[in-house]
């Protein structure tokens, strides 16, 4: 198993990532929840696994020439063997629009924490850094987290609340990616299908799931 690089975005390993656009995204959240019932009828819910993100991404129709590089990329991934990163349209990008600058973790936060304190190099007080539902990633590991509250910048620092809880510790000086957030994924199926049309275009949809 290996990481083969980025599918799209500024770090894409495709020979020409410009034509790569998406028509629709079916974004999925997977939680493994165990539900048991007691003799009295009480329902007990628990989970021992983190949330994982999945998606079905439908690309716009591409010419054969533009699509062949994608087919080569999937061949390089060997379907679910090798992982890669992908920026998911509408999901990887903030809905908050205020200038944030570089956001850095302030303090050490252990596995299981659902909030971290951060600072910014911007002096923009009371600006919204993240809106509820925006995603982030810490520089020390690959998991993507989703903000569960708006995060408002403060000159003394501010907190980011998110789910799922940290899968690994984050430490002082780690940076936070909040725009163009790359998801580390594998293909969900070992069978990939490519629809070559008689008009010289190709249709393709990819099913991916997060790995950490």
């Amino acid at each position: 198993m290996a990481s083969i690089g980025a599918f799209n975005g500024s770090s894409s390993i495709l020979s020409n990532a410009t034509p790569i656009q998406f028509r629709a995204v079916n974004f999925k959240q997977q939680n493994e929840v165990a539900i048991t019932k007691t003799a009295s009828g009480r329902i007990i819910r628990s989970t021992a696994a983190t949330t994982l993100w999945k998606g079905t991404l439908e690309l716009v129709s591409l010419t054969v020439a533009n699509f062949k590089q994608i087919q080569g990329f999937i061949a390089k991934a060997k379907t679910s063997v090798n992982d890669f990163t992908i920026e998911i349209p509408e999901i990887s990008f903030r809905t908050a629009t205020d200038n944030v600058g570089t956001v850095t973790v302030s303090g050490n936060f252990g596995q299981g924490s659902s909030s971290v304190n951060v600072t910014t190099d911007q002096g923009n007080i009371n600006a919204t850094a993240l809106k509820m539902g925006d995603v982030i990633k810490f520089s020390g590991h690959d998991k993507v987290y989703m903000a569960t509250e708006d995060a408002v910048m403060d000159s003394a620092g501010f907190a980011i609340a998110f789910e799922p809880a940290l899968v690994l510790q984050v430490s002082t000086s780690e940076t936070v990616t909040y725009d163009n957030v790359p998801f580390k994924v594998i293909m969900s199926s070992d069978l990939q299908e490519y629809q070559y049309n008689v008009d010289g275009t190709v249709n393709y949809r990819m099913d991916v799931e997060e790995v950490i």
Side-chain angles (χ1 to χ4, degrees):
M1 297 184 294
S3 293
I4 63 171
F7 176 74
N8 59 350
S10 60
S11 299
S12 175
I13 68 169
L14 298 181
S15 57
N16 180 15
T18 302
I20 308 307
Q21 300 180 39
F22 296 89
R23 176 178 287 114
V25 175
N26 181 9
F27 188 61
K28 307 170 188 177
Q29 173 181 330
Q30 180 178 346
N31 292 88
E32 300 288 347
V33 180
I35 298 177
T36 56
K37 293 184 178 180
T38 65
S40 65
R42 180 186 175 205
I43 298 177
I44 302 173
R45 302 171 303 280
S46 63
T47 180
T50 189
T51 298
L52 290 176
W53 311 110
K54 298 184 175 184
T56 298
L57 290 72
E58 182 178 354
L59 277 72
V60 299
S61 296
L62 294 168
T63 64
V64 172
N66 284 331
F67 180 76
K68 282 292 184 73
Q69 59 180 338
I70 296 175
Q71 192 165 293
F73 183 94
I74 302 305
K76 189 179 183 73
K78 298 181 180 178
T79 61
S80 58
V81 173
N82 297 321
D83 61 74
F84 56 93
T85 61
I86 188 167
E87 294 175 12
I88 301 178
E90 310 302 331
I91 306 299
S92 291
F93 309 96
R94 283 189 307 155
T95 53
T97 58
D98 290 329
N99 185 25
V100 177
T102 301
V103 175
T104 306
V105 175
S106 177
N108 298 319
F109 300 86
Q111 180 182 10
S113 298
S114 294
S115 177
V116 300
N117 296 327
V118 296
T119 58
T120 175
D121 60 359
Q122 299 293 312
N124 196 359
I125 301 173
N126 294 325
T128 300
L130 295 166
K131 298 288 286 185
M132 188 176 184
D134 290 341
V135 295
I136 60 170
K137 180 184 258 188
F138 299 98
S139 58
H141 63 283
D142 292 313
K143 183 76 184 85
V144 172
Y145 302 92
M146 183 173 288
T148 54
E149 300 174 5
D150 291 357
V152 179
M153 296 164 58
D154 185 281
S155 59
F158 59 101
I160 300 176
F162 52 83
E163 287 292 340
L166 289 174
V167 298
L168 290 173
Q169 173 182 311
V170 297
S171 304
T172 294
S173 299
E174 286 191 38
T175 55
V176 180
T177 300
Y178 51 82
D179 265 329
N180 307 322
V181 177
F183 287 73
K184 181 181 177 183
V185 299
I186 56 172
M187 306 301 297
S188 299
S189 172
D190 290 337
L191 175 65
Q192 297 297 305
E193 299 182 58
Y194 316 105
Q195 180 178 314
Y196 281 79
N197 304 311
V198 294
D199 64 356
T201 63
V202 185
N203 294 342
Y204 175 62
R205 65 177 58 184
M206 56 197 306
D207 293 296
V208 298
E209 57 185 87
E210 184 183 34
V211 291
I212 53 176

